[in-house]
Amino acid sequence: MKFCLACKEPYQSDRWECTHCHMSPLLKNDIPIFHPAYVSENDGYNPDIFDHMPYSEEPHYFNKARAFLILWIIKHFFANAANFLEIGCGKGTILSKIQEAHPSFTCWGSEIYLKGLEHIKKKLTNVHLFQTDARQLPFYEEFDIIGAFDVLEHIEEDVAVLKEMYKAVKPQGGIILSVPQYPQLWSQRDEFLYHKRRYTRTELVKKVRDAGFRICKVTSFNVLLFPLFLLIAMHNRYPKKNYNPFREFNIPRPLQKILTEIFALERFLIQLGIILPFGGSLLLVAKRN
Ligand SMILES: [Zn+2]
């Protein structure tokens, strides 16, 4: 069901018009805009990064590896799912992989910036898009799966986002999250990416439980490259004048290939049920109680 952000009532309709108070969002290029004030500016990210960031596009190894892992999670934990919402879907890298692997899924994507959504609209047909602040989702018990991949760390009120996710998933549905791990690894890179925090496992688990979810799986990933991350973090620990944030994202293709293979090995270990004890990122799967 849809959820009216004005009168706070769920409603059933194919259209974006509340059946109780008749409020409807602005439309821009057929994309509903729920929070016009944040379309081009807020403190969670810099939309210009989209234009310069090979990181958000294939074939960066991290994106590729993360997408494969997410596909496995969907198959393993959400075998009966029919729809999926990604919050903070960026340029749509993960949405396109999910659509490819599950052509029968109804896929939805949300972003706070219109820029990313307009990019996806050109690239992917059949994905429903809307602009919103993740602290207010215009849905009620609608989705089998909601994913937020490296999104929560950009938002001050991450607990509010988790509560909205709880409201928007079906009673038998659940969420998949990935976040950067270890506050001790905080560096200039996190500041460049507008991160508000890096998580500890305890903090993430507690926040997800407090929002009402039951944890199904939580594991580290990005393990085998962890020593490399440690070196980068140490190197970027203190602000440098000549810091070039794009350097570490511009990885030559042959090296990307090797890194992707390393990640494939890691995915294999996770699929075997091995909980990886440490790593640059955390992956969490939870369901509504
Ligand atoms: Zn209403």
Side-chain angles (χ1 to χ4, degrees):
M1 265 191 281
K2 293 190 165 80
F3 183 84
C4 176
L5 297 176
C7 71
K8 311 284 175 209
E9 289 286 340
Y11 65 96
Q12 192 95 53
S13 173
D14 291 336
R15 301 190 320 129
W16 280 112
E17 185 187 332
C18 173
T19 52
H20 310 284
C21 73
H22 302 288
M23 272 297 268
S24 57
L26 285 171
L27 288 180
K28 217 172 167 186
N29 274 336
D30 282 334
I31 299 172
I33 311 287
F34 289 96
H35 293 95
Y38 298 138
V39 157
S40 55
E41 211 178 318
N42 66 74
D43 70 346
Y45 200 62
N46 177 354
D48 292 336
I49 297 178
F50 273 138
D51 296 336
H52 303 284
M53 193 82 140
Y55 192 67
S56 316
E57 286 282 23
E58 268 205 300
H60 192 281
Y61 75 91
F62 180 76
N63 266 332
K64 217 168 171 176
R66 196 180 50 174
F68 280 130
L69 193 54
I70 291 161
L71 286 181
W72 175 76
I73 294 281
I74 290 175
K75 221 165 122 184
H76 192 78
F77 289 93
F78 300 97
N80 299 319
N83 68 5
F84 172 86
L85 164 67
E86 183 182 358
I87 295 175
C89 56
K91 283 184 169 178
T93 312
I94 292 174
L95 275 177
S96 72
K97 294 272 174 229
I98 290 178
Q99 217 180 28
E100 211 177 286
H102 300 273
S104 65
F105 270 27
T106 309
C107 285
W108 290 79
S110 86
E111 251 301 328
I112 196 158
Y113 297 111
L114 198 54
K115 217 169 184 173
L117 294 173
E118 284 172 339
H119 177 91
I120 299 175
K121 206 174 147 80
K122 278 184 232 153
K123 205 171 70 170
L124 299 175
T125 49
N126 250 335
V127 169
H128 305 270
L129 301 168
F130 59 99
Q131 181 274 353
T132 197
D133 172 349
R135 294 168 300 179
Q136 287 183 287
L137 296 177
F139 283 101
Y140 180 80
E141 298 189 351
E142 173 69 19
F143 298 103
D144 293 308
I145 314 165
I146 300 181
F149 309 113
D150 296 79
V151 168
L152 285 183
E153 69 274 15
H154 292 271
I155 303 168
E156 205 64 70
E157 299 91 350
D158 53 350
V159 175
V161 178
L162 290 166
K163 285 182 179 159
E164 283 297 282
M165 290 168 105
Y166 188 87
K167 182 195 83 190
V169 289
K170 287 179 189 163
Q172 66 277 23
I175 57 170
I176 311 172
L177 306 172
S178 70
V179 295
Q181 187 170 222
Y182 299 133
Q184 307 90 299
L185 286 189
W186 184 267
S187 74
Q188 207 167 355
R189 180 178 177 275
D190 292 285
E191 273 161 37
F192 168 74
L193 292 170
Y194 287 69
H195 288 171
K196 301 288 182 282
R197 71 192 77 74
R198 299 182 68 92
Y199 286 84
T200 64
R201 182 182 293 234
T202 316
E203 178 186 5
L204 184 67
V205 165
K206 182 177 182 321
K207 284 177 169 173
V208 171
R209 278 203 184 121
D210 286 351
F213 290 101
R214 169 175 58 85
I215 308 287
C216 301
K217 188 174 189 76
V218 52
T219 181
S220 295
F221 72 107
N222 218 343
V223 177
L224 301 171
L225 295 170
F226 188 67
L228 189 68
F229 270 82
L230 213 58
L231 281 175
I232 292 174
M234 276 159 62
H235 182 70
N236 294 333
R237 181 146 209 141
Y238 301 104
K240 283 184 198 61
K241 266 200 188 130
N242 62 350
Y243 174 64
N244 175 5
F246 296 111
R247 199 174 50 196
E248 66 183 275
F249 300 116
N250 282 315
I251 298 171
R253 232 163 229 272
L255 184 57
Q256 295 257 26
K257 264 202 144 130
I258 296 169
L259 295 173
T260 308
E261 290 307 315
I262 292 178
F263 259 99
L265 174 63
E266 196 172 309
R267 192 168 69 246
F268 177 68
L269 297 177
I270 292 175
Q271 289 174 1
L272 285 179
I274 295 168
I275 301 289
L276 304 174
F278 60 89
S281 299
L282 264 180
L283 180 79
L284 182 145
V285 184
K287 292 195 177 178
R288 259 178 77 153
N289 273 319

